[in-house]
C-alpha cells in the first residue's frame, strides 16, 4: 500500500509579515499608550485655554461697545458735544459786573472763605480740574463706558415746574446710549437724573476731587454726625447727571442749596433773590406773563419776557444774569429762584444734598 506523504507547507511570507506586524503594533501600542494619552490631555487642555481666552476677548469686545463700531448701525447727527449747534450769539454774554453781579472766585478762595455758608450765589472757576470726567464723558467715551446706564428723561419745562424728584410719570426711563443717539437732538427730552448709579461707582469716581463742602461729607463723615446735622441732610453718594442740547434747561424753580458743575458746554443763569421772591405773587409775575399765564421755557422767557415790564430791572437789581463756562461751578443757596439755559450741548453734574446746615 502506497502512502502519499503530504508536503508540509509554510505560511506565505505576507502572512508571516502580517502576524509579525500585528505583534509589533500591539507591543508598540502598549509601550506608548501612556505617553500618548498624556500628550493628548495636554493638547486638549491647551486648546481649551486658547479657546477660552479667545472667547473672553471676543465677548469683552462685544460688550465694551465703542462708538466707532456702531457708526454703520447708527449715524450720530453730531459726533462730539462741540459739533452741535450752540446759540452763543443769541444768549451768551461776558458776565459784565453790572449784569452778573456775582463773585467769580478760585477753588482756593471758595474753600478759604467757606463761601457755601453765605447767602448769595457764587461762581467757582476750575472746579473740574483733575476730573476723569473730562476724558470719560466726551460723547464717544460716555457711549463706550456707560451705554446701558438707565436714566430718566423728560420735557425740560415740565421738569422745571415739578422738579426732577416729583416729575413721576413725566420721566421716561431710557439708557444713556438711547437718549444720546435717538432722543437728544430729535426731541425736547432732557436728562436730569438724581438716582443715577453708574456701574462700579464710575460716576462718582469721575468727579473726584469733589468740591467743598461735599468733599467734607466723604472725608470726615464722623465729624458731621457729631455736629448734630440730621442724617437725612447728609450727603450720601447723592449726585445728579444732566445732559441736554442747546437752549434746553429748567424754568424758574427753587430748592435746597446746591452746586452745579459744567463738564462740557455752557449755561446761562437767571437768579432771583430769595427774600425778594418770598412773596409768591411776585415770583409768578416774574416767571410768567400775567396777560398770558402760560409758563414759557427758558429760551422763550429770555426772548419774550426778559425786557418786558419790570423784569430786567428786578434781575439787574435783585438778581443775577450770568453765564457759566465749562469747568466752572455755580453755587445756589437755599431758596433762590433760578432758571437755567444750555448754550450748546451741555453735560453737567449736580449735588443738592448735604449743603444746608454745614458749618
Amino acid at each position: 500500500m502506497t502512502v502519499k506523504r503530504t508536503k508540509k507547507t509554510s505560511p506565505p511570507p505576507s502572512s508571516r509579515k502580517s502576524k509579525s506586524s500585528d505583534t509589533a503594533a500591539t507591543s508598540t501600542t502598549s509601550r506608548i499608550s501612556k505617553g500618548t494619552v498624556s500628550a493628548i490631555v495636554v493638547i486638549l487642555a491647551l486648546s481649551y485655554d486658547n479657546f477660552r481666552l479667545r472667547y473672553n476677548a471676543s465677548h469683552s469686545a462685544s460688550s465694551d461697545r465703542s462708538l466707532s463700531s456702531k457708526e454703520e448701525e447708527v449715524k450720530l447727527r453730531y459726533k462730539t458735544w462741540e459739533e452741535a449747534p450752540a446759540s452763543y450769539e443769541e444768549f451768551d454774554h461776558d458776565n459784565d459786573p453790572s449784569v452778573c453781579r456775582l463773585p467769580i472766585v478760585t477753588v482756593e478762595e471758595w474753600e478759604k472763605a467757606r463761601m457755601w455758608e453765605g447767602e448769595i450765589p457764587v461762581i467757582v472757576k476750575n472746579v473740574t480740574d483733575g476730573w476723569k470726567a473730562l476724558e470719560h464723558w466726551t460723547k464717544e467715551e460716555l457711549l463706550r463706558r456707560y451705554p446701558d446706564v438707565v436714566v430718566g428723561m423728560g420735557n425740560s419745562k415740565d421738569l422745571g415746574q415739578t422738579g426732577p424728584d416729583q416729575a413721576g410719570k413725566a420721566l421716561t426711563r431710557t439708557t444713556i446710549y438711547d437718549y444720546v443717539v435717538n432722543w437728544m437732538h430729535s426731541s425736547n427730552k432732557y436728562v436730569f437724573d438724581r438716582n443715577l448709579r453708574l456701574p462700579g461707582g464710575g460716576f462718582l469716581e469721575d468727579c473726584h476731587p469733589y468740591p467743598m463742602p461735599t468733599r467734607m461729607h466723604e472725608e470726615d463723615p464722623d465729624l458731621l454726625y457729631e455736629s448734630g446735622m440730621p442724617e437725612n441732610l447728609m450727603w450720601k453718594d447723592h449726585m445728579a447727571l444732566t445732559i441736554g442740547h442747546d437752549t434746553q434747561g429748567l424754568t424758574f424753580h427753587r430748592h435746597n442749596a446746591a452746586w452745579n458743575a459744567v463738564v462740557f458746554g455752557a449755561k446761562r443763569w437767571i437768579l432771583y433773590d430769595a427774600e425778594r421772591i418770598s412773596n409768591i405773587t411776585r415770583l409768578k409775575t416774574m416767571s410768567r406773563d400775567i396777560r398770558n399765564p402760560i409758563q414759557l421755557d427758558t429760551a422763550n422767557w429770555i426772548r419774550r419776557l426778559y425786557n418786558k415790564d419790570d423784569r430786567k430791572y428786578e434781575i439787574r437789581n435783585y438778581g443775577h444774569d450770568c453765564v457759566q463756562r465749562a469747568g466752572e461751578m455755580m453755587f445756589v443757596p437755599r431758596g433762590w429762584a433760578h432758571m437755567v439755559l444750555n448754550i450748546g450741548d451741555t453735560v453737567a453734574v449736580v449735588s443738592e444734598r448735604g449743603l444746608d446746615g454745614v458749618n
Side-chain angles (χ1 to χ4, degrees):
M1 180 176 178
T2 305
V3 178
K4 292 184 179 180
R5 296 187 174 214
T6 304
K7 186 177 180 180
K8 188 182 286 187
T9 59
S10 299
S14 60
S15 176
R16 291 199 303 269
K17 183 176 181 182
S18 174
K19 290 184 178 179
S20 176
S21 299
D22 289 345
T23 302
T26 302
S27 175
T28 302
T29 300
S30 62
R31 287 199 306 271
I32 69 172
S33 60
K34 292 182 179 180
T36 302
V37 170
S38 298
I40 291 172
V41 169
V42 171
I43 292 170
L44 289 174
L46 291 174
S47 298
Y48 172 75
D49 285 343
N50 183 52
F51 168 79
R52 180 169 53 82
L53 289 173
R54 291 173 63 188
Y55 172 81
N56 287 343
S58 174
H59 181 71
S60 174
S62 64
S63 61
D64 186 19
R65 285 189 283 185
S66 66
L67 182 60
S68 59
S69 67
K70 302 289 291 183
E71 282 182 346
E72 288 189 4
E73 293 182 37
V74 179
K75 296 294 184 182
L76 285 175
R77 189 173 300 181
Y78 310 105
K79 290 185 178 181
T80 68
W81 307 123
E82 294 78 10
E83 287 182 12
S87 53
Y88 284 98
E89 186 174 343
E90 182 177 9
F91 294 111
D92 193 12
H93 62 69
D94 60 1
N95 283 337
D96 185 283
S98 65
V99 177
C100 180
R101 304 190 321 109
L102 282 184
I104 301 177
V105 303
T106 64
V107 172
E108 293 74 16
E109 292 169 331
W110 161 259
E111 295 186 359
K112 184 177 180 179
R114 299 176 66 90
M115 299 180 77
W116 57 87
E117 297 176 359
E119 297 182 356
I120 61 170
V122 182
I123 295 176
V124 187
K125 298 183 293 185
N126 303 322
V127 167
T128 64
D129 283 3
W131 282 18
K132 293 180 182 178
L134 295 175
E135 298 178 0
H136 294 178
W137 293 7
T138 63
K139 184 178 284 189
E140 180 175 1
E141 280 297 298
L142 192 72
L143 296 181
R144 186 181 73 84
R145 290 174 180 272
Y146 309 122
D148 300 319
V149 172
V150 176
V151 293
M153 64 177 181
N155 184 287
S156 56
K157 189 172 72 172
D158 293 338
L159 290 173
Q161 290 177 320
T162 63
D165 294 331
Q166 288 75 42
K169 294 182 180 180
L171 283 180
T172 302
R173 307 308 289 176
T174 185
T175 64
I176 285 179
Y177 188 89
D178 181 52
Y179 171 74
V180 172
V181 172
N182 299 316
W183 293 93
M184 185 170 181
H185 291 105
S186 60
S187 73
N188 198 35
K189 300 295 185 182
Y190 184 69
V191 165
F192 195 127
D193 198 305
R194 298 190 196 284
N195 300 312
L196 191 69
R197 293 291 182 271
L198 295 192
F203 177 55
L204 299 177
E205 292 175 3
D206 286 347
C207 301
H208 281 170
Y210 302 141
M212 289 290 283
T214 300
R215 193 167 73 248
M216 185 191 307
H217 289 258
E218 181 191 41
E219 293 178 346
D220 200 350
D222 292 338
L223 180 63
L224 292 170
Y225 278 105
E226 294 169 4
S227 71
M229 175 188 287
E231 187 172 350
N232 66 334
L233 294 181
M234 293 184 182
W235 184 87
K236 295 179 180 178
D237 292 355
H238 180 87
M239 206 81 81
L241 176 70
T242 72
I243 309 175
H245 65 64
D246 187 50
T247 72
Q248 283 185 309
L250 302 192
T251 54
F252 269 118
H253 62 287
R254 293 181 287 173
H255 45 64
N256 294 333
W259 57 256
N260 183 311
V262 171
V263 182
F264 298 101
K267 290 180 179 286
R268 172 114 172 240
W269 291 75
I270 307 294
L271 303 108
Y272 196 43
D273 186 272
E275 292 185 9
R276 188 73 174 171
I277 50 85
S278 58
N279 183 329
I280 192 66
T281 301
R282 179 177 284 127
L283 176 58
K284 288 183 177 180
T285 302
M286 282 291 297
S287 61
R288 306 183 185 200
D289 186 345
I290 59 174
R291 292 172 290 275
N292 183 25
I294 297 174
Q295 188 167 24
L296 299 171
D297 59 49
T298 305
N300 283 311
W301 187 94
I302 294 174
R303 290 168 178 147
R304 301 180 191 179
L305 299 183
Y306 186 84
N307 293 302
K308 199 171 183 179
D309 300 325
D310 295 329
R311 293 181 185 84
K312 187 172 184 178
Y313 172 85
E314 287 286 325
I315 295 299
R316 297 292 173 90
N317 289 275
Y318 301 101
H320 309 274
D321 177 356
C322 305
V323 175
Q324 173 192 17
R325 313 290 179 189
E328 296 179 342
M329 178 183 83
M330 173 68 80
F331 170 71
V332 182
R334 179 186 180 92
W336 275 73
H338 54 284
M339 62 167 53
V340 188
L341 177 80
N342 289 344
I343 304 178
D345 279 6
T346 302
V347 182
V349 60
V350 181
S351 184
E352 190 190 308
R353 186 170 176 179
L355 304 185
D356 289 313
V358 178
N359 294 309

